[in-house]
Amino acid sequence: MRAGIAAFAGGVILLYCVGEIPPWPLPVIALIMGCLLARFLSIALRPVAFVVIGLSTGLIWAGWMSSERLATRLPHALESGTHLVEGYRCSLVSPGAYHSLRFEFCVTHWPEATPDHPIAAKRLRLALYGAEPSLVLPRQLQLKVRLKVPHGSVNPAGFRYETWLFRHGFDATGSVREWSEQSVSCGIHCHYHAWRERVAGGLVDAYGGLESYPLIEALLLGERRLLDAEDWSVFRKTGTSHLIAISGLHIGLVGLFVGSLVAGLLKRWPGGPGARGRRRLVFGASLCACATYALLAGFTVPTQRALVMVAVTGLVYLRGRQSGYWTAWLSAVALVLVMDPFAPLDGGFWLSFGAVAGLIVMFSSRIRPPGRIATLLVAQLGVMAGLLPILMVLGLPFSVSGWLVNLVAIPLMSFLLLPGLFLLVPLGLLVPFCQPLIGRVLDMGLGGFMSGLSYVANQSPEGVVLSAATAGLVGSLVLAMLFPMRWCTRGWLLVAMSGLLCGQVLALTGSGVEANQSVAVPELWVWDVGQGLAVTYRDGDQVLQYDTGPGSPAGYTAVKDALRPGFRHTGIRDLNWLMVSHGDADHASGLDDLFDHIRVDRRSSGEPARVEERAGPDAADTFEGCRKGGRLGRSRIDVWQDGGDVSGNAASCVVRITRDGYSIILPGDITAEQEQDWLQNHPSRPGQHRIVVAPHHGSKTSSSPAWVRQLAPELVVFSAGYRHPYGHPAAEIRQRYRVGGARTVNTATSGAVHIRLENDAPSVHVERADAPFWIEPPPDQCPGAGCRVWRAGPAVLK
């Protein structure tokens, strides 16, 4: 039976590893064959049949649910113009970047829909720009909205917003143009969100003025809308993000507290129920308390997962531990995947069950538990060892100081801060005259906690990134040191694993892992950074970075979310030359973050002063002007800038890279006037493969007819945002290049573009071509709705 449960979980996970929904006959036939095998095989071979049944059932379940979710996505035809929708807010309103308010909206009616043209989209992620932060939006609304399909940047590594939207069930994103209160059908889901908002409103009225209120709301309601980028930086550096997300720790504490209270009362009940009855009452009370807290916290995916694990643990408790720890763990995994077949796309799924697995490994084989301090140490080190390889596979850095911080932070949060919140906050709501005193106590406790974390974060080194193999060896070595076994056996095991680890380190050191990996063929990466530009050129082990992409006030930068993960993925450790075309934010954001993590040998820019100002005080006088070129490996780098008194787009430093019959032009945001001057100074050479990154993202003010005609590029790449208000690239510019014989690629619809300068012709690969089924393919890759087919390929769980 355990094999079947594990196979079901494996079938669900397999769908996301392969990245394609298989044709339905394949898993159905496998299921039928499994049932026949179970009927006719001997008892000894019956587990094979259970594996086939479980695997096919998991694949069918996840594939069917994924197909249903894809079917409700907004049609592309509705991306133009504005549309009326009616429904209710199904989240609290959060402050956003660019003076916006953001919320989730559940649609109950599309007035524009007809029987011939139904609209299935039900859940929207919306932003209202220009509204006052104090604006109180009604719950039931009629909105005029501008929408687009779920879309985000697609690069070879890093965060994928499109995956996040699919995982959380959003059918479209957009902005609100007009709104008005509207009475709509309000079912149980609507009333539930209204109840949560009333609770949140009561908290704001009572404690909203406290400095620690954002943390109070996060811990009690699971709402992290008021935590800023600096707070998350502290949590990330100290490895304490899990303490803020309501998960197994918080819900488990509620269950443990209520269960202990009920058990204590039952012991004092003369003539009460027997041992079995007491267990049932304790379990029922704990589960009800956990469910109530999960509902209060929004019944989000982590709370659902924690609730399932509490329920399974309670069932083991009722059975007197007859089921075994691993059976309970597998049952919890399977139940979570039945409730939420999209869970494998969430890193929290892997981290939660990985942490529990580490604890089972550490404590299930012990005859008696160690002392309290030893238990805490073993548990923390075991969890750290179990999560280390998972973090590396997920592409997340490992906090060096995190395990030590958690030794203090977890007990502090578990036994002081959370119980204090659960007791003091309701007391203040029930006895209003106590609120000032309670507010001071909460500010002292939570403020001191955050101050301590901030101090440690400022002293902590950056997170460690290892290869998955090295992380697995380190984690196994730690587990072996902690595992209860004979010292002689442990000694041989430690020697063997230490030898493997040393061999791995020596192999990595010998291959020059700290230096840039060398490429046999020169290559160009045009990263998918939205409305902005970031281009990487590699020749051998030499790297030129042209621009660093955009950023936003909310903390997003292309450097953090696209370039640094992309560099790790492609083996880039440092930059030989950084060229920032000019000082606009969509070309020169995230420089301070880049310099903190990547060594840069040479820095140039068309606007050195503006770029240095963006990079921070440490970058003063480190950028040279756009005056002289140089060489990068076997490639020649020519630079040019308008000699007049220009600034902004017109001051862009234009780079031309030439090598073995190739000419690559990176023009920044120059206008038609600078294009003409550049052409006069750089006559085209016949017989070259010319690759052009379109100036100014394909704007009408650039890519003049003379520019297109004289360059006659073979390939043109537009770096633009998807359906951005600027409308880049302009349709007439795209057509102008195509008439001139160029192949055009747009990062907005194709993802990152990878170009290899082969001997005969450039080879072009776009990231969306290999993206999994929940990410929109490039427009010329999948012209029909039925072109998704089963394919064999590497794992794409990303």
Side-chain angles (χ1 to χ4, degrees), residues 253-455:
L253 283 172
V254 170
L256 183 64
F257 174 76
V258 173
S260 301
L261 180 63
V262 172
L265 292 175
L266 288 174
K267 284 182 179 180
R268 290 164 174 77
W269 182 6
R276 184 181 294 272
R278 285 200 300 269
R279 275 204 206 100
R280 289 175 179 170
L281 287 173
V282 169
F283 170 63
S286 297
L287 191 60
C288 288
C290 293
T292 302
Y293 184 41
L295 288 171
L296 186 66
F299 209 59
T300 56
V301 171
T303 60
Q304 294 174 29
R305 185 165 58 239
L307 193 59
V308 167
M309 296 177 77
V310 167
V312 171
T313 304
L315 290 174
V316 173
Y317 167 73
L318 285 180
R319 290 173 56 86
R321 298 183 181 176
Q322 298 174 21
S323 301
Y325 293 105
W326 288 112
T327 301
W329 183 82
L330 278 174
S331 301
V333 172
L335 281 172
V336 166
L337 293 177
V338 167
M339 293 176 57
D340 179 23
F342 310 102
L345 294 175
D346 186 1
F349 168 82
W350 300 97
L351 296 174
S352 295
F353 285 106
V356 175
L359 293 174
I360 292 175
V361 168
M362 286 295 95
F363 293 104
S364 61
S365 300
R366 295 179 183 270
I367 298 175
R368 59 177 179 270
R372 294 181 180 179
I373 302 299
T375 297
L376 183 61
L377 285 169
V378 170
Q380 187 58 43
L381 289 171
V383 168
M384 179 204 73
L387 295 186
L388 182 60
I390 298 175
L391 288 169
M392 297 305 105
V393 170
L394 294 175
L396 301 174
F398 172 72
S399 172
V400 177
S401 61
W403 73 273
L404 188 58
V405 173
N406 277 286
L407 282 175
V408 178
I410 290 178
L412 188 62
M413 181 66 74
S414 303
F415 302 115
L416 182 62
L417 297 180
L418 278 179
L421 277 175
F422 293 148
L423 293 174
L424 293 178
V425 169
L427 177 63
L429 295 176
L430 293 173
V431 188
F433 69 83
C434 291
Q435 286 178 8
L437 176 60
I438 290 174
R440 285 195 292 272
V441 172
L442 293 176
D443 262 347
M444 287 176 58
L446 295 175
F449 178 73
M450 287 300 298
S451 298
L453 290 183
S454 298
Y455 175 79

Side-chain angles (χ1 to χ4, degrees), residues 33-50:
M33 289 179 61
C35 294
L36 292 174
L37 288 173
R39 174 67 178 83
F40 295 109
L41 283 180
S42 64
I43 294 178
L45 296 177
R46 218 165 268 174
V48 176
F50 289 146

Side-chain angles (χ1 to χ4, degrees), residues 660-712:
D660 296 341
Y662 279 92
S663 180
I664 302 172
I665 295 96
L666 308 176
D669 280 354
I670 60 172
T671 64
E673 181 180 350
Q674 284 79 44
E675 290 175 355
Q676 187 63 37
D677 292 341
W678 188 89
L679 290 170
Q680 291 177 359
N681 290 276
H682 300 81
S684 299
R685 301 173 185 174
Q688 283 188 327
H689 298 289
R690 272 182 287 279
I691 301 170
V692 175
V693 175
H696 202 188
H697 320 288
S699 166
K700 293 179 182 179
T701 61
S702 305
S703 298
S704 61
W707 170 269
V708 175
R709 183 178 61 254
Q710 293 186 42
L711 283 181

Side-chain angles (χ1 to χ4, degrees), residues 33-117:
M33 289 179 61
C35 294
L36 292 174
L37 288 173
R39 174 67 178 83
F40 295 109
L41 283 180
S42 64
I43 294 178
L45 296 177
R46 218 165 268 174
V48 176
F50 289 146
V51 168
V52 174
I53 292 171
L55 196 66
S56 54
T57 302
L59 199 56
I60 291 171
W61 173 242
W64 177 63
M65 292 296 288
S66 295
S67 298
E68 291 293 306
R69 179 159 289 186
L70 290 174
T72 61
R73 277 186 170 178
L74 184 80
H76 279 282
L78 295 182
E79 288 189 301
S80 59
T82 57
H83 307 279
L84 278 178
V85 292
E86 296 176 357
Y88 57 91
R89 285 189 299 104
C90 41
S91 76
L92 301 182
V93 178
S94 305
Y98 305 109
H99 307 290
S100 65
L101 299 176
R102 298 174 185 266
F103 57 93
E104 299 170 17
F105 191 74
C106 291
V107 180
T108 58
H109 179 55
W110 288 86
E112 301 171 355
T114 64
D116 295 332
H117 297 90

